[in-house]
Amino acid sequence: MKKYTFTEKKDTRSGFGAGMHVLGQQNPNVVALCADLVGSLKLEPFIKENPERFIQCGISEANMIGVSAGLTIGGKIPFATTFANFATGRVYDQIRQSVAYSNKNVKICASHAGLTLGEDGATHQILEDIGMMKMLPGMTVINPCDYNQTKAATIAIADYEGPVYLRFGRPVIPIFTDPDQKFEIGKAWMVNEGTDVSIFATGHMVWEAIQAGEILEAEGINAEIINIHTIKPLDEEAILKSVEKTGCVVTAEEHNRIGGLGDSVAQVLVKNKLVPQEYVAVNDSFGESGTPAQLLEKYGLDAKHIVEAAKRAIARK
Amino acid sequence: MEIEQLEKVASQVRRDIVRMVHGCQSGHPGGSLGCTELLVALYFERMKLKENDGKVVFDMNGKDEDLFFLSNGHISPVWYSVLARKGYFPVSELATFRKLDSRLQGHPTTHEHLEGIRIASGSLGQGLSVALGAATAKKLNNDKGTVYVLMGDGEQQEGQVWEAATFAPHHQVDNLVAFIDLNGQQIDGPTVKVMNNRDLGAKYEAFGWEVINIEEGNDMAAVVKGLYEAKGRLGHGRPIMVLLHTGMGYGVDFMMGSHKWHGVAPNDEQLAAALAQLDETLGDY
């Protein structure tokens, strides 16, 4: 098992803020919008240096999405930011009509996604956002795994023409990817090569998958771990190549098991190569208040559960 | 353009509207007929549009030109007709309205790359927000163009409209003119009965807008005068709201003043009766 060490833990939303800071200096067309959550989205450095390119929308997410769509007419690259729940579920129709169907170059950047938002509870812990966004024709869906990758993804999507949903979160997690990485949209990242089981993980679950890989290794199981940071378009080639080798799959995501990464992978498998697949995901329920670690354990998303899922998948081969 | 000339264009546009809706036996003639003067006056008189050798040219980003957004997208027939008559796409294409493989979808869309359309609309309440974004982009680009947006009065029942109404004065979007088509009708009946908007002018004033009334929204001279008045008030820190008092179905006697013709197509006999009231001035498609 390839060793992943870290010296620092940070939240992925801070990676977004750092990416925006860079974009503010590099790309004069980037405009940031926020619905009264500037601190939560870590936008202060961008706003400080580019006050004229920041648009405070107040607690009006629907309007923010529409204003963002309008800004693209005139060549601006709007980054519309708020919590994932308000960035997707609350404004689905606005995104559908004014952004996706209209093919506008809007970047919807959502923090506090998934259970690990923690104590705020289920009203804020959206677990359906990947599903909603990936169902929109033309929408790119990205869920990076740590601070460095979120920063790189933020910078990369500014150069991509078209609507993007970028999902990140609140908890501090280890920084284990390269600070100078180049983020390639739609290109899965090989975390660890293995032969016994393919673990396809996204977002915060990549670190849990790495920990699971170490536990499995101690038990003599050689797991291949792939970071699917882009859920749409999905890197089908990387998935099939891995499955050819391992013959079974675990998908891991901080999302409802219905409609997320697991279902996207299952579609690829059904069409191309039928192998056993186990889901590590929230089992069609809402979340609740608690610490991130408590919630990952209770809802079956931590490393221990990935290990169990891997063993089940292998047993079904 | 002289008022008389604009009226001739309007007459042809009205013929186009009823013929388009008749041709596919679906669509929304009522609001389209009511807003004919406004759209003709905007495109043929008021708006600064990008042209090349005297012909309009469509550019999605619309730099250095005036932009128009239709928020109540169901009145697409009037917009399609005006765009075609202005020269954005062939007039003959109007015959494809709402038919399979057409660029003239039931509600306007950018998806089929129809010249003149910059955003999809149809799901109500979104156009003002989009127009505000486009107007803000113009300011950021130091572009002196004006952004126009039309909404329905029934549409004022959507919550997003009031998010946008709050945003516009706060951010001093003063390069934007919004219109509300005050025809007093919506699908289920008179607006005062379905969901009373009460005094929209007072509401927008309270939100910080400058409000103008065009009392005779189907009188071309009054509409043109109102548009010049609106233009004159731009650039003073406040967005402009024009309350355009129109008659639903205006110009076709049996369609006028009732919600019945909101989304109903005329049959052959009704089409003939309608066309008999409207002069063919520019030639039917």
Side-chain angles (χ1 to χ4, degrees):
Chain A
M1 172 89 189
K2 194 173 166 187
K3 286 288 163 233
Y4 286 92
T5 54
F6 65 93
T7 54
E8 199 182 359
K9 286 184 171 185
K10 269 191 183 175
D11 43 359
T12 49
R13 60 179 170 152
S14 286
F16 170 72
M20 288 302 290
H21 190 196
V22 172
L23 284 175
Q25 293 167 346
Q26 289 181 352
N27 192 330
N29 283 322
V30 167
V31 176
L33 301 94
C34 194
D36 194 31
L37 288 169
V38 162
S40 295
L41 270 295
K42 305 294 179 187
L43 284 171
E44 293 98 336
F46 178 95
I47 296 169
K48 193 174 173 208
E49 292 179 13
N50 313 279
E52 75 293 347
R53 283 195 280 140
F54 169 68
I55 301 173
Q56 174 61 266
C57 293
I59 309 168
S60 309
E61 294 82 7
N63 183 54
M64 176 170 73
I65 297 298
V67 169
S68 298
L71 281 162
T72 67
I73 301 161
K76 298 298 160 197
I77 308 171
F79 281 63
T81 72
T82 179
F83 289 170
N85 186 26
F86 314 137
T88 59
R90 190 179 179 92
V91 293
Y92 194 70
D93 185 48
Q94 283 77 15
I95 295 174
R96 182 177 180 273
Q97 175 172 286
S98 292
V99 177
Y101 184 44
S102 295
N103 192 27
K104 294 303 178 199
N105 192 23
V106 175
K107 316 303 173 186
I108 298 156
C109 301
S111 183
H112 294 52
L115 284 174
T116 53
L117 143 67
E119 292 80 355
D120 280 346
T123 55
H124 289 48
Q125 291 160 342
I126 194 156
L127 300 168
E128 309 92 49
D129 55 328
I130 290 173
M132 283 190 283
M133 291 298 109
K134 81 174 188 184
M135 280 201 294
L136 290 170
M139 181 67 76
T140 292
V141 179
I142 299 173
N143 189 22
C145 67
D146 74 350
Y147 172 93
N148 285 340
Q149 192 164 75
T150 307
K151 180 181 174 186
T154 302
I155 295 166
I157 62 174
D159 288 331
Y160 166 82
E161 175 82 23
V164 174
Y165 177 57
L166 180 67
R167 178 198 214 231
F168 41 90
R170 178 169 180 261
V172 290
I173 59 160
I175 303 176
F176 57 95
T177 69
D178 183 356
D180 302 317
Q181 68 191 284
K182 184 165 163 34
F183 188 88
E184 278 187 75
I185 295 169
K187 182 89 178 140
W189 176 51
M190 179 64 76
V191 179
N192 185 61
E193 293 199 41
T195 51
D196 298 332
V197 57
S198 299
I199 302 175
F200 301 127
T202 191
H204 295 145
M205 298 305 290
V206 176
W207 180 249
E208 296 296 326
I210 289 170
Q211 291 175 290
E214 288 171 359
I215 297 168
L216 288 166
E217 187 183 39
E219 298 183 28
I221 296 168
N222 186 3
E224 177 145 301
I225 302 168
I226 296 182
N227 169 13
I228 312 283
H229 53 62
T230 308
I231 293 149
K232 187 184 177 189
L234 190 63
D235 191 343
E236 298 193 11
E237 198 186 324
I239 289 168
L240 289 171
K241 201 174 151 199
S242 178
V243 172
E244 284 294 338
K245 225 176 6 171
T246 63
C248 68
V249 168
V250 172
T251 51
E253 60 195 307
E254 202 185 331
H255 190 269
N256 193 339
R257 62 182 295 144
I258 298 171
L261 170 67
D263 281 0
S264 287
V265 170
Q267 276 196 13
V268 176
L269 300 181
V270 164
K271 276 188 295 181
N272 297 282
K273 187 177 172 63
L274 279 171
V275 299
Q277 178 183 352
E278 292 289 330
Y279 282 61
V280 173
V282 175
N283 190 19
D284 195 21
S285 75
F286 294 102
E288 65 180 83
S289 293
T291 67
Q294 287 171 336
L295 291 164
L296 288 183
E297 190 194 0
K298 177 167 179 180
Y299 287 82
L301 299 182
D302 60 5
K304 188 182 77 189
H305 287 88
I306 297 175
V307 168
E308 288 165 9
K311 289 178 182 171
R312 285 198 307 273
I314 291 167
R316 288 172 56 203
K317 275 207 261 190
Chain B
M1 203 179 258
E2 294 296 316
I3 296 298
E4 198 179 318
Q5 288 300 111
L6 293 170
E7 284 171 344
K8 280 186 177 162
V9 176
S11 182
Q12 185 65 52
V13 167
R14 286 198 162 92
R15 286 182 71 88
D16 290 348
I17 291 166
V18 289
R19 293 184 68 234
M20 287 163 74
V21 173
H22 172 263
C24 61
Q25 283 298 297
S26 76
H28 299 79
S32 294
L33 291 166
C35 290
T36 300
E37 276 75 19
L38 175 67
L39 266 76
V40 169
L42 278 171
Y43 275 89
F44 286 82
E45 169 64 21
R46 185 54 269 176
M47 282 165 69
K48 182 192 167 205
L49 301 167
K50 197 161 287 176
E51 294 190 7
N52 192 6
D53 286 341
K55 221 184 148 322
V56 287
V57 182
F58 178 62
D59 163 42
M60 176 58 83
N61 279 355
K63 287 217 166 75
D64 300 316
E65 63 176 320
D66 294 343
L67 306 180
F68 174 77
F69 293 96
L70 180 68
S71 188
N72 48 334
H74 57 275
I75 68 164
S76 56
V78 63
W79 197 19
Y80 291 152
S81 168
V82 167
L83 288 173
R85 294 291 170 185
K86 186 68 187 173
Y88 280 100
F89 56 85
V91 171
S92 59
E93 213 171 329
L94 295 175
T96 69
F97 174 61
R98 281 186 173 237
K99 293 177 180 169
L100 194 64
D101 296 327
S102 173
R103 300 198 298 167
L104 279 61
Q105 291 290 298
H107 295 81
T109 173
T110 54
H111 202 256
E112 317 300 332
H113 307 287
L114 185 67
E115 295 83 1
I117 313 263
R118 293 189 169 86
I119 196 86
S121 61
S123 176
L124 294 171
Q126 301 185 29
L128 182 56
S129 302
V130 173
L132 287 167
T136 304
K138 283 199 176 294
K139 287 191 168 231
L140 287 167
N141 291 335
N142 202 22
D143 171 341
K144 301 298 176 204
T146 302
V147 175
Y148 296 94
V149 56
L150 171 61
M151 297 178 279
D153 52 0
E155 187 177 11
Q156 300 306 304
Q157 292 153 14
E158 290 281 8
Q160 185 182 347
V161 170
W162 299 98
E163 294 184 6
T166 308
F167 177 101
H170 179 84
H171 286 289
Q172 301 191 327
V173 185
D174 58 3
N175 55 344
L176 172 128
V177 179
F179 303 91
I180 296 174
D181 174 21
L182 275 182
N183 61 24
Q185 307 289 334
Q186 58 191 108
I187 297 181
D188 278 356
T191 301
V192 289
K193 284 195 176 168
V194 176
M195 187 53 64
N196 195 342
N197 286 316
R198 298 189 186 277
D199 189 341
L200 286 171
K203 284 185 178 178
Y204 275 94
E205 270 174 9
F207 275 66
W209 290 63
E210 191 145 349
V211 177
I212 297 170
N213 277 275
I214 298 181
E215 300 287 351
E216 300 293 334
N218 295 117
D219 179 293
M220 189 64 81
V223 171
V224 169
K225 184 166 167 272
L227 291 181
Y228 276 92
E229 189 186 346
K231 182 88 176 173
R233 298 201 193 187
L234 288 165
H236 293 95
R238 295 171 80 187
I240 313 293
M241 174 58 68
V242 179
L243 301 178
L244 184 74
H245 300 254
T246 70
M248 187 175 249
Y250 190 89
V252 177
D253 56 9
F254 60 88
M255 291 186 177
M256 280 165 72
S258 158
H259 66 276
K260 202 186 128 208
W261 288 92
H262 169 90
V264 175
N267 60 27
D268 293 351
E269 211 173 292
Q270 289 163 331
L271 174 70
L275 293 179
Q277 302 169 37
L278 302 165
D279 290 340
E280 183 180 351
T281 52
L282 304 176
D284 287 340
Y285 62 82

